[in-house]
Amino acid sequence: MDEGLLVAILIQLSADHGPEAGHWFLEVGFGNLGSPRPAPFRDLAAALAWIATQADTPSGEGVRDGVRRR
């Protein structure tokens, strides 16, 4: 969420995804997060760091617990 607006939906991949099971996938991204679609992220921290970068948040500052704050 960014200022009360939904910016991305992440899902955790199931065992059906073989070696990527447990990784995080950007199911939907809005605005700057719409494209390009990244490969699955190894962990939630990596996904949140990518979201912060794509959303033009300097150094990921303001991202905590999946919520971007200003």
Side-chain angles (χ1 to χ4, degrees):
M1 300 290 291
D2 181 22
E3 297 180 3
L5 299 174
L6 182 64
V7 295
I9 297 173
L10 295 168
I11 60 167
Q12 191 169 31
L13 299 175
S14 70
D16 293 340
H17 295 277
E20 292 184 334
H23 291 198
W24 291 85
F25 178 75
L26 178 69
E27 182 72 21
V28 178
F30 303 100
N32 292 348
L33 297 151
S35 69
R37 178 165 285 180
F41 300 97
R42 189 166 293 262
D43 56 39
L44 187 55
L48 294 177
W50 182 85
I51 289 170
T53 299
Q54 292 299 109
D56 294 327
T57 304
S59 308
E61 187 175 331
V63 174
R64 183 178 56 224
D65 302 326
V67 178
R68 181 172 164 223
R69 295 177 175 83
R70 291 183 182 214

